Amino acid sequence: MLDYAQARRMMVDCQLRTFDVNDNAVLDVFDSVPRETFVPKSQEPFAYIDQPIRLGTAERDIRVAPAPMVLGRMVQALKIQPGVKALDVGTGYGYSAAVMAQLGADVTALESIPELIAAAKERLAGKAEVVEGRLRDGFPKQGPFDVILVNGRVETRPQALLDQLKDDGRLVCVFGPDRGAKVTVFVRAGDAFGSRPLFDASLPVLADFAQEATFAF
């Protein structure tokens, strides 16, 4: 039987630490949250590989759990402190929500696919509130938020989500076209939003944030 605790330690030491994840609080959380419980049963033995893991059965709006090293850098960029309000967009099975909750955030986990909503509610009971809605709309009822994490690629500027940030709030997502996407952090300053690309990354585009196809003649 696979020793998941050992696999977690190896993930932290060989994936996160070598990819510039150096915040000790973030490293400790990734070493303690059991990622294998936040993936489909058939994928449990692969929970700690350095690849995204497919979640659910939807063909049009594909969901994945980002590779741990990518998610680690994204969470680190949010600079989560205990007591902050966080929105986890496209939560899937709820792993990223569990990570942020373990860091002390008050997490709202947003999902739009019924089978994933059910899976997240089962796994996040007592850790985060799972809500249903269109991802592009965010969840203003619970806002404004200090931090927002988007689990998936965003091709269009997520303005409705940005508008739900508090002043000095931070949003992190994989932003841009497939071959040119980068993990990007957005920061709110009053009515303005600055952005900074952090590193190259590739995830399936979330249907709610896909660029509309155009035709060339």
Side-chain angles (χ1 to χ4, degrees):
M1 174 179 278
L2 181 62
D3 184 337
Y4 287 115
Q6 182 181 16
R8 274 195 299 280
R9 286 192 295 273
M10 290 184 64
M11 174 192 73
V12 169
D13 290 340
C14 300
Q15 297 179 42
L16 274 66
R17 289 186 190 275
T18 60
F19 197 57
D20 294 330
V21 180
N22 48 35
D23 184 300
N24 287 330
V26 173
L27 292 169
D28 288 346
V29 166
F30 274 83
D31 194 26
S32 64
V33 176
R35 192 171 190 255
E36 71 274 9
T37 67
F38 292 92
V39 299
K41 188 76 174 175
S42 63
Q43 298 299 306
E44 288 180 4
F46 310 105
Y48 296 101
I49 65 172
D50 60 348
Q51 297 290 331
I53 292 180
R54 177 75 178 265
L55 306 172
T57 59
E59 292 299 328
R60 188 185 72 87
D61 196 5
I62 296 174
R63 294 281 198 281
V64 299
M69 54 194 278
V70 172
L71 182 62
R73 286 279 296 275
M74 294 173 76
V75 171
Q76 180 173 263
L78 288 172
K79 301 181 179 180
I80 293 172
Q81 297 296 318
V84 303
K85 292 184 67 174
L87 178 65
D88 191 42
V89 178
T91 196
Y93 275 37
Y95 179 63
S96 50
V99 166
M100 291 194 288
Q102 189 75 6
L103 284 166
D106 177 10
V107 184
T108 299
L110 176 64
E111 186 49 76
S112 60
I113 299 176
E115 68 172 300
L116 298 183
I117 294 168
K121 284 183 175 180
E122 178 183 351
R123 290 160 175 80
L124 288 171
K127 299 182 180 71
E129 181 182 2
V130 181
V131 297
E132 180 176 4
R134 288 193 350 171
L135 303 188
R136 76 178 72 171
D137 295 337
F139 205 72
K141 179 180 178 180
Q142 296 284 64
F145 300 96
D146 297 284
V147 297
I148 298 176
L149 175 69
V150 183
N151 291 276
R153 185 162 52 86
V154 174
E155 291 182 333
T156 58
R157 184 180 174 89
Q159 192 61 50
L161 299 182
L162 294 171
D163 288 340
Q164 290 170 47
L165 285 173
K166 293 181 181 178
D167 195 26
D168 206 34
R170 304 167 74 86
L171 179 149
V172 173
C173 64
V174 177
F175 183 64
D178 188 20
R179 295 184 181 276
K182 298 179 183 295
V183 167
T184 301
V185 57
F186 293 84
V187 181
R188 182 167 195 168
D191 293 328
F193 301 90
S195 66
R196 179 167 62 95
L198 301 181
F199 59 95
D200 295 338
S202 180
L203 287 175
V205 65
L206 296 168
D208 266 6
F209 300 100
Q211 182 74 49
E212 291 186 10
T214 57
F215 294 93
F217 295 93

